[in-house]
Amino acid sequence: MDRREFIKVCSVMAAAGLLYGCRKIPFVGKASSDESLSRAIPALKDFEDEVEKAMARGGKNLDLVKVPMPSILNASDADLQNRFGMAIDLDACNGCGKCIMACIVENNIPLVTEEEREKDRFMHWIKMRGDAPFMCAHCGDAPCEKVCPTGAANHTPDGLSAMMYKRCAGSRFCGANCPEKARKFNYNDAEELGLLRKFNAEVPVRGKGVMEKCSMCLQRLQNDRLRFKAEHPFNEWRGRNVKTACAEACPRNAIIFGNWLDPESPLVKAAKHRELFAPRSIAKFDPSVVYMRGRR
Amino acid sequence: MFRALFCIGLALLVPGLVAMGVSLCGGPVEWFTDTQTFWGVPISLFVFWIGLAHAGTLISAAFLVLNVKMDRRTALLAEMSTLCSLAVAVCMPLMHLGVIANFYMVAPFWDARGNISNVRSPLVWDFCCIAVYGVLSLLFFVSHFCMNPLKDDLPTVAVARAWIKKVRRPMAWILFPLVLWVHSVVSLDFASTFVPEWQGAFFPLYFIAGAIFSGLALVNFLLTFENYRVRVLEKLTLVCSWFMCAFWVWNFIINGNFCVSAFVFAGVLPQLLFVEWVRENRYACVSLWLSILLGMLLERVYLVSPTMETFGWIDLGLVAFGAGMFLVTFYGLRRLLQKGIEDDELLMGDVDTVGEALDSEFEAASRKYFLPLSTPEYRILRLPVLCGILVAILFSIWTFNANDQVNIELRLVNVFPLFGPIIALVAALILTSRALWTVSRKSVRWVVVSLLVAFAGACGAFYAGGSSVPEKASAETSSQLLDNVSVVNVVWDSRCATCHGIDGKFNKKFVREFYPVPQTLSLDRLDSIGEDSLVQVILQGRVNMNSYEGRISEGMARNLVMYMRILAERDSARASSAGEDEE
């Protein structure tokens, strides 16, 4: 074999290798909507089974420390009227896990594949940690937002740690910098693999390679805000009619959603005379989602 | 020998390309990612290769600056290894991304929708530093070959040499700090997070020492195949290994973690250089340099993903891809540039005399009297650097203004890491552009100009941004015209008022959350645009406004335009009555 031939063989092999690797690229563009209809859609039971499995795996117990009541965000453009948050009543919560299922149904959270399940990479936004639900705490001074290179993870003036899914490049830096690992990464295209059921048309389906996490049911807040603004154009909206899916689903009323800056809010009323706690690692970042226990 | 290495490279590259293809399509699920950090092999490989990429330019720039004599061949090989490993390194973070198509969003540049990357993220600093470092290393490398552009034309050669001589040493002065800066920034990716294994104030130092160490090992490795040894570099490698051992011990004391294999391969084995037989034996030397590289690779993997247990075949394929691509590009380039490297004028051992020549020139200059701001030193180096500082200041002012829409506080500290690359880029471009322009051939000039035009075009495309039409519009296909103002009112209040306000003046408070401020819909403006155009704007969208096609019927859009007019008339009536009251 002379040199010319050798190089030829090598380059053909390289090209073949690349083609083999790229065989998964759909050359005909996106699948049409007819196809997506015929794709397998998991039953509700599958989601319930997965929640059970996730709960059986359990998680590390939360290491809680006392925190003061959340107040106005420490940002130049903070909203002085609204800062949304939640308080989880540890005295009432019995760890039934109904909130996880409610969250899945509200936010179209997909199932994960068998391998992912073994690696404990569930997509659930809520995780049971020692009989207490844990979700993104929407830290006022969130470390995840600071490191996001594209600005996809950002903070709304009313205290939500928001995600622009279209802007996310999937560098997973936010996930690395979240001390409690509240962020979930879409390793797979759930729609393609038939792991997704669109329960709620209002919540967009997150594509492959995008980070996601608890949005504090942003869609419910936005809907209420739009409706309120149309009905009462000159009044200040305080989000009083909103409840997150998990708070709504809790049979023992252990998750309370509300506005930390609104004295009328059920959240402030419930948390006023309780001792508030947050996980030790994020207590210094001014979390909006806190735990309450005992009486003050 | 070189051909054998090239073939080894090819043999590694082919399976590497398969692994690359699989992981490009499959995404991060294909390779190992740490459960704690979500980061995996590509990032370790990136840090490893970027470390290798630092040594070459650092060696030749630092030696030039410090007046250490080094022959041109070593310098050329070192710089070439820099460029090749940079090319490998750039592939890795791209592959790491979940959505590769969005990589450009990391560049700190505005688009028409008012989005700008988060300048306080270390990844943005990384992106800029490495881009600038790549450009400047290329310039520095190219300047070698501009020394003898056309053999037969002696006057041109003399002119070219004079130009390049003037430029190379100041360029080295710019590159020297830049190299250290870039690697510090890479280390800040890790040091500025909350991952306990990644924290530590010594991180930049640790990373720089590691980078220099692995880079020196690579240069030594390459030189061994040239049948050639540079004692300074060997000594430096040894010193670096001690530094690394010290850092590992330090890390062990602080964090309690320790990578044993890295310590053995890169800490203990290099000490065999003290044995004369090992130093003199080529094969022993090659395996020694390889062991250092292996140790440093394991160390980087351990650092990025501490819970790493097993390498999957894709992970191994990516490692092979790196090594293969490096060997293929390096020895391919070497063959291409053989004439330049083994030039008859610049033989092996021919010491770089540029520094000396420049020194004598400066000595001559120092005896002359110059008006302030006209000394050659000022013209050549200080003025470009001052321009760079000016650009950096302008950039930070601009980002502070652009940041207005992002709800994240920005401080000077967050922009500061970008100062180094900006200053270096501007200074080096000003410094070299004239010299390279005079030296280069006409065809090269055309290529450069067309590249610049293409770059400007790319910036324009970036600014224009992508389409904002939702992929699956929820169609609302009623097309009847509604004359009832109250229905239009509700549509306006629910669809438009979030940005444009209930009263047609924009809703400043709400708008600031996601979008830039829209136009005020005054009567003059509505008249000048016209009804049909406004309907089109609603349906097709405009700069910052989303398209409402499929969500609002055309009839409704026309109704909305009429409603806008009503609002504007009401507003102008209110304004005129207020004016009358004042009168």
Side-chain angles (χ1 to χ4, degrees):
Chain A
M1 193 194 280
D2 71 340
R3 191 177 67 198
R4 204 172 277 260
E5 216 169 307
F6 175 75
I7 291 175
K8 219 183 274 175
V9 168
C10 283
S11 46
V12 165
M13 269 166 75
L18 257 186
L19 277 179
Y20 171 77
C22 296
R23 72 199 185 283
K24 282 185 205 158
I25 292 181
F27 290 102
V28 202
K30 289 255 166 187
S32 70
S33 53
D34 302 336
E35 256 178 83
S36 66
L37 280 177
S38 64
R39 213 173 281 138
I41 293 174
L44 196 63
K45 184 81 179 53
D46 298 333
F47 289 91
E48 279 164 358
D49 290 348
E50 203 194 53
V51 170
E52 248 166 55
K53 276 177 195 142
M55 282 176 63
R57 282 190 84 104
K60 246 191 347 207
N61 275 23
L62 289 168
D63 177 17
L64 295 173
V65 290
K66 257 189 222 176
V67 287
M69 196 190 265
S71 57
I72 298 169
L73 279 179
N74 183 22
S76 55
D77 57 353
D79 192 333
L80 303 180
Q81 300 293 327
N82 303 323
R83 177 176 177 186
F84 296 105
M86 289 195 273
I88 295 158
D89 191 342
L90 293 180
D91 295 337
C93 177
N94 61 354
C96 66
K98 290 219 169 67
C99 47
I100 305 180
M101 199 57 216
C103 179
I104 289 174
V105 174
E106 173 71 18
N107 293 304
N108 298 336
I109 296 170
L111 296 170
V112 293
T113 58
E114 199 69 48
E115 305 95 68
E116 303 297 294
R117 202 177 298 157
E118 268 155 35
K119 289 179 196 159
D120 203 12
R121 287 181 186 165
F122 294 99
M123 293 306 295
H124 306 154
W125 290 356
I126 304 178
K127 187 178 185 182
M128 274 298 163
R129 306 248 319 241
D131 277 0
F134 174 78
M135 70 282 278
C136 169
H138 295 264
C139 307
D141 184 24
C144 52
E145 291 161 13
K146 286 180 192 161
V147 296
C148 173
T150 60
N154 55 30
H155 220 80
T156 64
D158 47 14
L160 267 57
S161 178
M163 268 300 287
M164 277 196 257
Y165 299 125
K166 282 278 174 199
R167 183 88 181 149
C168 180
S171 74
R172 313 197 277 297
F173 206 176
C174 53
N177 209 24
C178 176
E180 288 294 335
K181 310 297 157 214
R183 286 176 169 265
K184 308 283 166 178
F185 183 67
N186 281 286
Y187 281 97
N188 287 305
D189 192 337
E191 206 172 358
E192 204 74 20
L193 296 175
L195 298 170
L196 178 86
R197 191 184 178 93
K198 282 184 209 158
F199 295 101
N200 187 353
E202 285 187 329
V203 177
V205 171
R206 282 77 60 184
K208 182 179 178 178
V210 170
M211 268 284 178
E212 63 181 65
K213 63 164 191 67
C214 166
S215 66
M216 235 195 278
C217 292
L218 179 74
Q219 65 282 359
R220 294 186 175 206
L221 281 167
Q222 292 293 67
N223 282 347
D224 190 58
R225 169 157 32 197
L226 281 183
R227 195 188 48 72
F228 187 90
K229 291 258 169 184
E231 286 171 7
H232 317 277
F234 303 107
N235 292 6
E236 194 66 47
W237 173 71
R238 308 298 293 268
R240 282 180 191 149
N241 295 325
V242 187
K243 242 181 164 189
T244 53
C246 51
E248 215 170 57
C250 184
R252 300 170 69 107
N253 209 15
I255 304 179
I256 297 157
F257 174 84
N259 184 348
W260 285 116
L261 307 182
D262 179 11
E264 300 289 303
S265 160
L267 176 66
V268 176
K269 280 180 185 162
K272 218 177 339 185
H273 303 297
R274 310 289 298 272
E275 283 191 335
L276 300 183
F277 297 87
R280 185 184 297 279
S281 56
I282 55 174
K284 58 176 177 288
F285 299 128
D286 187 19
S288 302
V289 178
V290 295
Y291 296 83
M292 52 190 188
R293 199 160 55 188
R295 298 240 144 236
R296 177 145 44 192
Chain B
M1 194 70 219
F2 299 142
R3 196 173 299 158
L5 281 167
F6 185 82
C7 291
I8 292 173
L10 263 186
L12 286 172
L13 184 62
V14 173
L17 276 177
V18 176
M20 193 79 173
V22 170
S23 58
L24 272 181
C25 296
V29 73
E30 302 286 352
W31 67 76
F32 176 87
T33 42
D34 194 87
T35 41
Q36 286 299 302
T37 60
F38 294 95
W39 282 10
V41 178
I43 288 289
S44 343
L45 285 176
F46 164 69
V47 175
F48 175 68
W49 281 105
I50 205 78
L52 294 184
H54 282 52
T57 307
L58 180 70
I59 290 169
S60 59
F63 282 11
L64 191 56
V65 163
L66 300 174
N67 254 336
V68 180
K69 300 283 178 281
M70 190 165 67
D71 58 283
R72 175 150 293 126
R73 190 184 202 176
T74 311
L76 265 175
L77 288 174
E79 284 171 38
M80 217 155 80
S81 80
T82 287
L83 289 175
C84 295
S85 22
L86 208 59
V88 178
V90 166
C91 297
M92 297 300 171
L94 272 184
M95 222 181 32
H96 165 81
L97 291 182
V99 188
I100 299 170
N102 284 359
F103 81 95
Y104 66 91
M105 290 178 182
V106 177
F109 192 70
W110 236 341
D111 71 8
R113 303 179 73 76
N115 292 315
I116 182 173
S117 65
N118 177 15
V119 185
R120 63 180 302 167
S121 166
L123 281 189
V124 175
W125 308 338
D126 243 20
F127 181 85
C128 299
C129 285
I130 289 164
V132 169
Y133 181 63
V135 170
L136 296 200
S137 301
L138 190 66
L139 274 180
F140 198 58
F141 180 66
V142 164
S143 72
H144 275 292
F145 292 94
C146 295
M147 305 282 270
N148 41 349
L150 292 165
K151 284 277 156 51
D152 44 345
D153 191 2
L154 275 175
T156 339
V157 173
V159 170
R161 287 208 160 187
W163 269 110
I164 296 299
K165 271 178 190 174
K166 242 189 220 171
V167 161
R168 250 182 87 79
R169 214 169 141 83
M171 184 82 178
W173 269 111
I174 293 171
L175 266 172
F176 184 27
L178 179 70
V179 177
L180 303 180
W181 192 296
V182 172
H183 218 73
S184 306
V185 163
V186 171
S187 78
L188 287 180
D189 280 358
F190 299 92
S192 62
T193 64
F194 293 100
V195 180
E197 287 89 357
W198 291 354
Q199 278 179 14
F202 60 97
F203 238 85
L205 285 176
Y206 177 36
F207 260 55
I208 290 172
I212 296 174
F213 183 42
S214 51
L216 281 171
L218 179 68
V219 174
N220 277 322
F221 173 77
L222 295 172
L223 284 177
T224 316
F225 285 104
E226 308 279 328
N227 215 352
Y228 194 42
R229 278 177 61 200
V230 180
R231 301 203 59 170
V232 190
L233 294 184
E234 285 179 4
K235 282 180 199 157
L236 259 177
T237 319
L238 208 55
V239 171
C240 279
S241 80
W242 302 335
F243 267 106
M244 285 316 287
C245 288
F247 278 123
W248 285 327
V249 170
W250 188 353
N251 198 10
F252 180 66
I253 293 167
I254 293 176
N255 293 333
N257 52 9
F258 195 64
C259 184
V260 182
S261 46
F263 180 69
V264 171
F265 282 123
V268 177
L269 281 179
Q271 310 308 326
L272 284 176
L273 274 178
F274 280 110
V275 183
E276 197 181 339
W277 179 81
V278 177
R279 260 180 320 195
E280 300 297 334
N281 189 314
R282 265 179 69 186
Y283 298 101
C285 269
V286 166
S287 40
L288 211 64
W289 305 132
L290 273 180
S291 106
I292 294 180
L293 289 176
L294 177 68
M296 290 310 290
L297 176 64
L298 290 174
E299 202 259 342
R300 293 320 196 200
V301 169
Y302 176 75
L303 200 79
V304 174
S305 34
T307 61
M308 183 93 178
E309 284 147 15
T310 46
F311 266 59
W313 76 269
I314 297 274
D315 302 316
L316 286 175
L318 295 181
V319 176
F321 169 80
M325 184 170 162
F326 176 81
L327 285 176
V328 167
T329 43
F330 185 84
Y331 283 105
L333 261 182
R334 201 195 171 289
R335 185 164 173 76
L336 210 72
L337 303 175
Q338 198 160 28
K339 228 174 142 203
I341 291 172
E342 293 168 3
D343 195 275
D344 52 350
E345 268 184 74
L346 306 159
L347 276 175
M348 229 161 67
D350 179 16
V351 170
D352 199 330
T353 50
V354 176
E356 284 172 17
L358 206 74
D359 279 347
S360 57
E361 195 180 301
F362 271 121
E363 257 170 46
S366 67
R367 278 193 289 275
K368 265 202 287 183
Y369 176 74
F370 285 101
L371 285 170
L373 306 185
S374 68
T375 55
E377 194 194 351
Y378 178 82
R379 269 189 293 116
I380 292 175
L381 187 56
R382 282 194 199 158
L383 186 64
V385 169
L386 283 177
C387 287
I389 292 172
L390 184 73
V391 172
I393 290 170
L394 286 178
F395 174 80
S396 53
I397 292 171
W398 171 72
T399 23
F400 273 93
N401 288 333
N403 194 60
D404 192 43
Q405 283 139 13
V406 182
N407 294 302
I408 294 176
E409 296 284 306
L410 193 67
R411 294 195 200 91
L412 195 61
V413 185
N414 307 128
V415 190
F416 183 69
L418 289 174
F419 275 34
I422 292 175
I423 293 172
L425 180 69
V426 173
L429 285 184
I430 294 175
L431 190 75
T432 52
S433 56
R434 199 161 154 217
L436 288 180
W437 189 260
T438 35
V439 166
S440 59
R441 269 177 243 149
K442 216 169 196 175
S443 56
V444 178
R445 287 181 200 176
W446 275 110
V447 169
V448 168
V449 168
S450 49
L451 276 179
L452 281 179
V453 170
F455 181 71
C459 285
F462 186 110
Y463 182 77
S467 154
S468 65
V469 182
E471 275 164 36
K472 287 161 200 163
S474 54
E476 186 187 290
T477 47
S478 64
S479 58
Q480 76 244 36
L481 268 159
L482 290 161
D483 296 323
N484 191 346
V485 175
S486 66
V487 176
V488 185
N489 187 357
V490 169
V491 174
W492 173 270
D493 285 355
S494 58
R495 292 277 199 195
C496 319
T498 33
C499 295
H500 291 286
I502 299 286
D503 51 357
K505 294 185 218 159
F506 59 84
N507 180 4
K508 198 172 174 186
K509 184 165 154 286
F510 191 66
V511 150
R512 294 234 304 126
E513 286 174 25
F514 299 113
Y515 302 110
V517 172
Q519 296 283 350
T520 313
L521 302 169
S522 65
L523 209 52
D524 290 347
R525 198 173 159 74
L526 291 181
D527 284 340
S528 72
I529 297 174
E531 193 184 310
D532 288 341
S533 317
L534 283 170
V535 169
Q536 284 313 306
V537 169
I538 292 173
L539 293 179
Q540 308 297 334
R542 212 163 161 250
V543 198
N544 297 314
M545 186 167 143
N546 281 324
S547 151
Y548 278 86
E549 191 155 32
R551 296 189 277 177
I552 279 180
S553 66
E554 201 186 324
M556 182 50 84
R558 209 161 281 280
N559 277 306
L560 282 172
V561 174
M562 286 194 281
Y563 186 71
M564 266 182 236
R565 249 197 101 80
I566 296 172
L567 288 178
E569 273 164 10
R570 211 182 284 164
D571 189 46
S572 64
R574 207 179 298 148
S576 62
S577 71
E580 278 165 23
D581 287 350
E582 273 174 30
E583 280 165 19

